[in-house]
Amino acid sequence: MTEMNTQIDDAKAKRNVAILVAAQAFLGSQITMIFVIGGLAGQQLARNAGLSLCFATLPISMIVFGSMTTAPWLSHMMQLRGRRFGFFVGAIGGMIGSLIGAYALSIGNFYLFLVGSYLTGIYMSAQGFFRFAAADTASEAFRPKAISYVMAGGLISAIIGPQLVKVTTDITAVPFVGTYMVAIAINAVGMLMFIFLDIPKPPVMSADSPQSRSRRELLRDPVILVAIICAMVAYALMNLVMTSTPLAVVGCGFTTGNASDIVSAHVLAMFVPSFFTGHLIARFGTRTIIALGLAILGAAGAVGLMGVELEHFFVALVLLGIGWNFGFIGATTMLASAYKPHERGRVQGMNDFIVFGMVTVASLASGGLMNCSGGTAVEGWTAVNIAMVPLLALAGGALIWLVMRPRGATA
């Protein structure tokens, strides 16, 4: 990005970051909750509908698909109406989605549950823009730290979400309805935080303003292309494995509480590193941190293949969270430095459309691999971890290509 640092007030940026951290922590807990129970609730409803258990993770896929299809128009809306308006829209979408999800569970309707899941994806898309909003008013020096701190807000959501699952799963006659009712309240209360955001709307483009590059031209920029690929792979692999984890844990004879604890440890690992990831990026550069993230993701898959005891699940999911953190925050920071202010809406919307498009595919594949790759949960879990290999090869190859390119070369 090309703003002059003298025009940027980091005091304002730090206030905005504090609000976004709080929103990530409080509002973000609903995503942790829903990802813990989504596959289990989908499994329950799929049985009721007489569907194959291959469809168990379809509700989670619909959340991600909702996020993917929302990202372009929500990003454009934020470009025109500002971040605050877009974040209100996201919270309202999450509230309505949870309301429909609770009702669908109460009447046992799998297809209506998918509708609610899709609307929850509107909130997930808005939350994805928190990291970009943190960079909007930050100086170049503070930008990687601002992105990292906002992502660190997920640390609290990692603690709150799974614990709320434990206390709300069975408080209603139909399992999981209480969890969705709590999610409604979280959206209703949490959206009030956005009143205090102070992020100016982007300037209105005049006839003589610089013209944004087309999407094709943007994707021909090597830095933008590789940043998107690495973000896509880091998020898709995290989702691929995390989505199937509750099914694998319960399928291997452990409890829903065990699954909640493992997912909680995973989400903690996703966000605890954020307290220092920005500093590591500032010191070692985005490419080094992304490469480290991809290596740790590979290690997570290796541990997952070693066994299906609780300790294997814990270690694999902790490594998965750390690898996602380095890979995704590194790629986000790389992307944020590669476009001009008037290209913000187009680049961010395109990035999240591509990233969550692949995450949608990964979440669909997760259920299919887990439930349809043999007769046991062990065979399904093995297939999920082996499926990480080609995506890691894609991201690693793209990063090596970027590093090896002559300085100043064009696509």
Side-chain angles (χ1 to χ4, degrees):
M1 298 175 75
T2 61
E3 303 101 314
M4 298 294 293
N5 288 347
T6 55
Q7 297 176 327
I8 296 177
D9 178 8
D10 272 341
K12 178 191 291 185
K14 290 173 182 177
R15 288 194 300 272
N16 287 328
V17 165
I19 295 165
L20 291 166
V21 167
Q24 181 89 319
F26 184 69
L27 282 157
S29 64
Q30 68 182 292
I31 296 298
T32 310
M33 292 160 57
I34 292 171
F35 269 73
V36 170
I37 67 170
L40 298 171
Q43 198 171 60
Q44 171 184 305
L45 292 174
R47 284 197 189 98
N48 293 344
L51 297 172
S52 166
L53 293 185
C54 296
F55 294 99
T57 59
L58 188 56
I60 293 178
S61 301
M62 287 299 292
I63 295 173
V64 183
F65 180 69
S67 181
M68 177 194 79
T69 54
T70 296
W73 64 258
L74 187 59
S75 180
H76 180 67
M77 179 183 292
M78 290 183 186
Q79 185 80 21
L80 297 177
R81 304 287 298 273
R83 295 292 190 190
R84 184 161 49 189
F85 183 84
F87 293 153
F88 274 118
V89 170
I92 291 169
M95 185 164 56
I96 296 172
S98 294
L99 178 62
I100 293 174
Y103 178 67
L105 279 168
S106 68
I107 63 173
N109 190 313
F110 181 74
Y111 302 102
L112 186 60
F113 191 67
L114 295 182
V115 173
S117 298
Y118 179 86
L119 293 174
T120 298
I122 297 176
Y123 167 74
M124 185 176 177
S125 179
Q127 181 178 313
F129 288 109
F130 288 179
R131 69 194 194 278
F132 290 121
D136 286 348
T137 54
S139 67
E140 184 176 350
F142 183 57
R143 189 174 299 133
K145 297 175 184 177
I147 294 170
S148 189
Y149 292 150
V150 169
M151 299 301 291
L155 172 63
I156 300 175
S157 71
I159 297 170
I160 295 173
Q163 300 310 311
L164 285 175
V165 169
K166 287 184 177 181
V167 301
T168 60
T169 294
D170 297 315
I171 62 172
T172 52
V174 178
F176 310 123
V177 169
T179 307
Y180 278 89
M181 297 301 292
V182 170
I184 295 170
I186 286 172
N187 281 291
V189 175
M191 72 171 67
L192 299 177
M193 297 180 191
F194 301 130
I195 295 172
F196 304 101
L197 276 179
D198 183 13
I199 301 176
K201 296 179 184 178
V204 177
M205 300 291 290
S206 61
D208 58 349
S209 297
Q211 295 300 306
S212 298
R213 287 173 286 178
S214 68
R215 289 179 175 83
R216 178 174 295 182
E217 289 172 330
L218 290 166
L219 287 174
R220 286 176 60 84
D221 183 312
V223 176
I224 290 177
L225 177 62
V226 174
I228 291 175
I229 289 173
C230 291
M232 174 187 76
V233 168
Y235 217 127
L237 291 181
M238 186 275 293
N239 188 270
L240 173 76
V241 179
M242 187 182 74
T243 299
S244 61
T245 295
L247 299 176
V249 172
V250 174
C252 289
F254 303 106
T255 68
T256 302
N258 293 140
S260 293
D261 290 338
I262 290 168
V263 171
S264 182
H266 163 67
V267 182
L268 285 169
M270 287 172 64
F271 296 112
V272 167
S274 297
F275 290 107
F276 53 82
T277 305
H279 296 278
L280 292 175
I281 290 171
R283 180 171 181 180
F284 298 106
T286 55
R287 299 175 187 185
T288 300
I289 300 305
I290 293 169
L292 180 59
L294 295 176
I296 296 172
L297 287 170
V303 172
L305 291 170
M306 290 179 182
V308 290
E309 298 301 322
L310 277 179
E311 56 265 30
H312 291 111
F313 285 116
F314 270 109
V315 173
L317 269 291
V318 166
L319 290 173
L320 186 75
I322 297 170
W324 172 85
N325 182 282
F326 287 178
F328 190 65
I329 294 180
T332 298
T333 305
M334 180 187 287
L335 184 70
S337 66
Y339 55 80
K340 300 177 177 64
H342 61 277
E343 295 174 328
R344 184 180 80 185
R346 177 170 291 175
V347 174
Q348 293 173 6
M350 179 178 66
N351 174 77
D352 280 16
F353 179 81
I354 295 171
V355 168
F356 288 109
M358 180 56 73
V359 174
T360 301
V361 173
S363 61
L364 285 168
S366 182
L369 290 167
M370 191 64 225
N371 289 318
C372 305
S373 296
T376 68
V378 175
E379 291 172 324
W381 181 242
T382 299
V384 166
N385 285 281
I386 291 174
M388 297 176 70
V389 175
L391 286 176
L392 284 171
L394 170 64
L399 194 59
I400 292 170
W401 171 75
L402 180 65
V403 170
M404 298 296 291
R405 287 175 60 82
R407 187 175 297 276
T410 57

